[in-house]
Amino acid sequence: MGRRSLLLLLLAFLTPGAATAVPPALRALSSLHLSTSFRSRPAVAMKYSIHYIQQKVDHFGFHTDKTFKQRYLIADKHWKEDGGSILFYTGNEGDIIWFCNNTGFMWDVAEELKAMLVFAEHRYYGESLPFGANSFKDSRHLNFLTTEQALADFATLIKYLKRTIPGARNQPVIALGGSYGGMLAAWFRMKYPHLVVGALASSAPIWQFENMVPCGVFMKIVTTDFRKSGPNCSESIRRSWDAISRLTEKGTGLHWLSEALHLCTPLTESQDVQHLKDWISETWVNLAMVDYPYESNFLQPLPAWPIKVVCQYLKNPNVSDTWLLQNIFQALNVYYNYSGQARCLNISETATSSLGALGWSYQTCTEMVMPFCSNGIDDMFEPHSWNFKEFSDDCFKQWGVKPRPSWIPTMYGGKNISSHTNIIFSNGEIDPWSGGGVTKDITDTLLAIVIPEGAHHLDLRANNAFDPVTVLLARSLEVRHMKQWIKDFYASLGKMH
Amino acid sequence: MGRRSLLLLLLAFLTPGAATAVPPALRALSSLHLSTSFRSRPAVAMKYSIHYIQQKVDHFGFHTDKTFKQRYLIADKHWKEDGGSILFYTGNEGDIIWFCNNTGFMWDVAEELKAMLVFAEHRYYGESLPFGANSFKDSRHLNFLTTEQALADFATLIKYLKRTIPGARNQPVIALGGSYGGMLAAWFRMKYPHLVVGALASSAPIWQFENMVPCGVFMKIVTTDFRKSGPNCSESIRRSWDAISRLTEKGTGLHWLSEALHLCTPLTESQDVQHLKDWISETWVNLAMVDYPYESNFLQPLPAWPIKVVCQYLKNPNVSDTWLLQNIFQALNVYYNYSGQARCLNISETATSSLGALGWSYQTCTEMVMPFCSNGIDDMFEPHSWNFKEFSDDCFKQWGVKPRPSWIPTMYGGKNISSHTNIIFSNGEIDPWSGGGVTKDITDTLLAIVIPEGAHHLDLRANNAFDPVTVLLARSLEVRHMKQWIKDFYASLGKMH
C-alpha cells in the first residue's frame, strides 16, 4: 500500500529541473556560438497577466454542455506581431503560476524569438477545477481528467487566442513542457500538428509505460546518482532498510527511531515502518530529480548538487544500525531542513504543495499507468516487483476506477512514433525519468538531446551562472531548432500568399 | 424544419459510389499498365466470417467500465503471412455487411496485396449498439457516439487483431473508407499513424465544415449533373418548386398532386408541401450521388447513368404546372420504381434502410455539422440560407444537444493538414460531396485523385465492365500507392532487425 503511494507520487514531482556534462549530441557542437539568450545576464523579471477561458467540461461528449474556467497566463513584453512567435507551455499536474516561475527558459528566450509566452493550466489542477471543490469527490466528477481532454483544452485555447489577439492569427506556436507537461507537449504536436509547429518535450518519460522499458530502470538511475556522488553512499542506503527492520522489531525501536529521525509524529504501529521506508525512498528519488548544480528551491530549498551533500553523511556503511540511521537522519535533514528552520520531519510530505497530488494519483490510476520496480541488486532499494493486479485493486479501492495500462501506448503510439515531426526530446542523464525518455534521435526531426549532468528538465530552468556548459549548449540547440520551425512556418505562409 | 431533415439525411447516403473521364492527376498515366486486379474478370465471391470484440463504451473516461460488442468481418482467403497486408475498412453510418457488399474494390485487390480484409462496424450502427435497444433513447445513451470514440474502437481492434492473429503482428495495415467512412480513414491515419501506414479516403468531404468551402457548393454540383445530363433538365426542376406551390395553394391541389405523384399517403396539410419538396430535393441529391455508369443497386435499384434517364422526362420546362409535375413524377419513378414493382411512392423514405438515419441525425447535431445552402441561381433548388441558430435549436429539440460546429476543424486540422502523410483523397467530379473534398495534391504524400465522370466513391465499388477508363486508372494508382506503403513498411521493419 505505502509502496503504491510512493509510485503514485513519483511523477507528481516532475517539472522544471537541473543538469551538467557533454552529451553525445552536443559534443560536435562544442564550438557552437552560444545563443545570445544564454550569456550571463541578470535574471529576467517574470511579469504576466492572468486570464481565464470557458472550456467544455467534456470535449468528447455532448450530453453535458457544462463549462469551467481554465486559467492561463500571458507575458507579451517581447512579443512582436511582425515575425514573432507564441511559446505555449502545456501545463502539467500543478498550479500554473508555480510552473511559470520554474520555467525560466521560456523567459530567457522570449526576446530572441519575439515570443508571446502563454502558460496554460491543466484541468483539475491549480484554479482550473471543472467542479470547484467537488472536483475530486468521486469518479463521476473526475471523469474528465484525462490527457485527451487536457490536450483538447490546449487546442481550444490556442484557437481562441489566435482568433481574439490581433496579430496572433498568423503566428507559429511552439509547445513546451517538462516532465508530464513534456509528454503533453510531445503528444500535442503528435495529435494537433496543425496547431503547433513543433514541441520541446523536456524530461518527458513517454515510454515509461507498459512493456516499453524495464520497470527497474528508474530506481537504477536514482541509485547510480547516489553511487557516483560519494563513496559508499548508495551502499549505506541499501543497508539502511534492514537496519530499520531490525531496529523496529524490538520493543523500543519505533520510539528510538522516531527520536533519531526527529519525526513530528512518532511511529506507533509496525505498519508505520513501511510508510517510513516509502517516505525515505521518495526522498532519495526526489533528490535524484532535483540534483541541480546550484542552490535551488523547486521541491524543497536545497544546496547545489544536493546528493553530494547528502552523501557526505553516508560514507561508511559498516557501522551499527543505530549509527547508520543517525547518518540517514543527517542525510534526510539536507533535503528537509536546508533552511535550518524545521523543528521536526513530517513523513506525510516530501515536496511542495503546488503539485496536485490528488489529481495525479487519479491519473496514475486511470491512463498514466507507469510500472516501477526495484530488485535491491541493480538498485539500492528494497525489492518490489510490479504487481498490476494489486495496483489495480488499490486504485479501485481509492477511486472506484480501473487502470487501463495499454491505453496510452494505443493512443500515443508507444515506440512507433517515427511518422511525426518537429519534436525535441531533452533528457538529463542523472534524471531517473530519462530511463523512460527518448534519448536517441528517431528521425531528422524527432531529436534527442541528452545532458549528461542534467537532472529533471534542467534545460527548462532559468539561465544560471553555475549551469554546466552542456545545458547551455542544449538550450542553444533547442533555440536553433525552434528558430528553424518558425522560419519554416513563415516560409510556407509566404508560399500560400 | 423539413429542410433540416433533408440536410440531416444528406450524408447518410454517402457510401460506395460511381465515375468516368480523365482526371488531371491521371492524364499523365494514360499509358500506365493497368493493375492485374482491374482486367475484366468474373465478380469475386464475398466470403467473410463474422466476429465481435468487447469495446469500452467510453475510451476517454473511467467512470464507467462498461463494454459493448462491436461487430467486424474478416475475409482472409488471399491473405499471406509472408509479405502480406491488412486492409481495414473504417465503417461508417450503417450496417457493416451492407458496406462490405458495396466495397468490391477491397475484394478485387486482396489477392494482389496478399491482404486480409477487415470490415469494422461503426458504433451505434448495425449490430454494434452500446446500449442495445436503448442506444438512441436520449442524449445520455448517445453520449458515446463521436468520431473520436469510433476511431478509438478501430485502434483497439487493430491492436487486438495484431495480438491475437498469428502472423498479423508485423504486417502493415491500410485504412480504407468511403464518404463519412473516408473521413474516418483519413482522420485515423492523421491521429493514429502508428497503426496504419496509409489511408485511402474515397469521396470524403473533410472540408464540408465551418468556413472551409461555400455552403452552396454541394447543391451547385447536383445541379450541374442534371444540367449536363439532358437539355433543360435542371431548368425543369428549378421551375417545379413554384409549380408545386401554385398548385397546392388551390383547394384541390393537394389531392391532385397526391394522385399525380402516386403518393402512398396523400398530402393533407399545407405543411406536407414542404415535406414533399424536401423529399423530391433529396431524390435529386441521391441521384447525383449514385449516378453510376452501370445498372446498380446501392441506395435503390437503378439503371446505368440514371440522371440521363431521369432527364429524358424533363426536356421541356415551358409547359403547364400540371404537365411539368406529371413529368416530375416520371422522373421520380425512375429512382423509386426502376424495378416496376412499386405501387405508390413513399415520401418518408429515400434510400436503403441499411443506413442508420437516427445515429447520423445525432452526429450531424453534435460534431458533424456541415453547412449547406442553396440560392436558386447557381443551383436548381429553392433558396435556403444556412441558419445555424435554427439548426441548433432544432437539434436541441430533437436530441437535447447543441452542435459544436468548430470542433471538427479544431480536432482534425481543417485545411491545415500538410504535416500528415500517406493519404489518398479520391473524388468523383460529378459527386456533390467532391465540393467538400480534397481535390488537389497537398504534398507528395497527401494526394488527390479526381475521377471526372465519377459519382460517390465509384472507385471503391467492384470492378465492372462498364467502368470508365479513368476509374480503372484511379484504382490502379491507388493500388500502386498502397503497394509502396507496404514496401516502405517492410523496408523499415528490415532496418529495425
Side-chain angles (χ1 to χ4, degrees), chain A residues 56 58-65 139-140 143 146 148-149 152 155-156 159 189-195 362 365-367 400-404 406-407 409-414 416-417 419-421, chain B residues 56 58-65 139-140 143 146 148-149 152 155-156 159 189-195 362 365-367 400-404 406-407 409-414 416-417 419-421:
Chain A
K56 299 283 179 205
D58 189 2
H59 291 285
F60 305 106
F62 293 75
H63 177 55
T64 172
D65 208 39
S139 69
R140 191 166 64 81
N143 192 49
T146 64
E148 292 86 353
Q149 299 277 8
T156 304
K159 296 264 281 190
R189 169 65 188 167
M190 294 179 195
K191 296 293 184 182
Y192 297 84
H194 51 291
L195 295 179
Y362 173 86
C365 272
T366 48
E367 286 186 312
V401 295
K402 287 183 189 156
R404 299 178 192 162
S406 62
W407 177 244
T410 299
M411 186 68 189
Y412 299 111
N416 184 4
I417 55 174
S419 68
H420 301 288
T421 57
Chain B
K56 299 283 179 204
D58 188 4
H59 291 285
F60 304 106
F62 292 74
H63 177 54
T64 173
D65 208 37
S139 69
R140 191 165 64 81
N143 193 48
T146 64
E148 293 86 352
Q149 300 278 7
T156 304
K159 296 264 283 190
R189 169 64 189 169
M190 293 179 195
K191 296 294 187 183
Y192 297 85
H194 51 290
L195 296 179
Y362 173 85
C365 272
T366 47
E367 286 186 313
V401 295
K402 288 184 187 156
R404 299 177 191 162
S406 62
W407 177 242
T410 298
M411 186 67 188
Y412 298 112
N416 183 3
I417 55 174
S419 68
H420 301 287
T421 57

Side-chain angles (χ1 to χ4, degrees), chain B residues 10-196:
Chain B
L10 281 177
L11 196 68
F13 305 135
L14 304 183
T15 316
T20 346
V22 183
L26 291 178
R27 265 176 211 134
L29 287 168
S30 51
S31 63
L32 184 79
H33 178 70
L34 280 182
S35 160
T36 52
S37 305
F38 304 118
R39 301 215 187 105
S40 283
R41 58 176 198 186
V44 173
M46 295 181 176
K47 262 185 84 174
Y48 51 77
S49 51
I50 301 179
H51 307 262
Y52 297 88
I53 177 177
Q54 290 291 334
Q55 292 278 10
K56 299 283 179 204
V57 168
D58 188 4
H59 291 285
F60 304 106
F62 292 74
H63 177 54
T64 173
D65 208 37
K66 201 174 150 19
T67 59
F68 74 101
K69 284 200 303 183
Q70 179 187 23
R71 182 168 59 162
Y72 63 98
L73 316 178
I74 289 190
D76 58 4
K77 182 180 169 190
H78 296 293
W79 183 50
K80 295 276 183 294
E81 285 192 33
D82 186 20
S85 63
I86 298 170
L87 301 186
F88 188 93
Y89 183 87
T90 50
N92 31 327
E93 73 285 17
D95 186 300
I96 194 62
I97 292 177
W98 183 69
F99 288 125
C100 172
N101 289 332
N102 277 285
T103 311
F105 172 76
M106 284 171 64
W107 298 86
D108 288 340
V109 302
E111 188 169 0
E112 188 168 357
L113 302 181
K114 302 176 190 170
M116 178 191 302
L117 308 184
V118 180
F119 296 86
E121 191 159 66
H122 191 298
R123 53 168 60 200
Y124 287 86
Y125 295 98
E127 290 187 3
S128 302
L129 303 176
F131 301 97
N134 290 326
S135 297
F136 303 97
K137 199 175 165 188
D138 51 35
S139 69
R140 191 165 64 81
H141 290 85
L142 280 158
N143 193 48
F144 310 100
L145 173 49
T146 64
T147 58
E148 293 86 352
Q149 300 278 7
L151 296 183
D153 289 337
F154 298 151
T156 304
L157 175 54
I158 288 174
K159 296 264 283 190
Y160 171 79
L161 296 175
K162 292 211 154 197
R163 201 170 60 240
T164 55
I165 299 179
R169 180 177 299 274
N170 287 320
Q171 289 218 337
V173 183
I174 294 172
L176 299 95
S179 193
Y180 168 50
M183 300 195 212
L184 293 174
W187 293 340
F188 193 54
R189 169 64 189 169
M190 293 179 195
K191 296 294 187 183
Y192 297 85
H194 51 290
L195 296 179
V196 286

Side-chain angles (χ1 to χ4, degrees), chain A residues 428-475:
Chain A
E429 250 176 17
I430 65 171
D431 176 15
W433 291 107
S434 66
V438 179
T439 52
K440 283 180 187 158
D441 289 353
I442 296 175
T443 66
D444 285 356
T445 65
L446 286 188
L447 301 165
I449 294 181
V450 178
I451 305 161
E453 288 164 329
H456 205 41
H457 44 51
L458 174 63
D459 53 339
L460 288 193
R461 295 184 67 81
N463 196 29
N464 184 291
F466 293 94
D467 272 328
V469 67
T470 53
V471 76
L472 302 184
L473 287 167
R475 289 183 189 136

Side-chain angles (χ1 to χ4, degrees), chain B residues 418-438:
Chain B
S418 62
S419 68
H420 301 287
T421 57
N422 293 2
I423 305 175
I424 299 169
F425 296 96
S426 63
N427 278 284
E429 251 177 16
I430 65 171
D431 176 15
W433 291 107
S434 66
V438 179

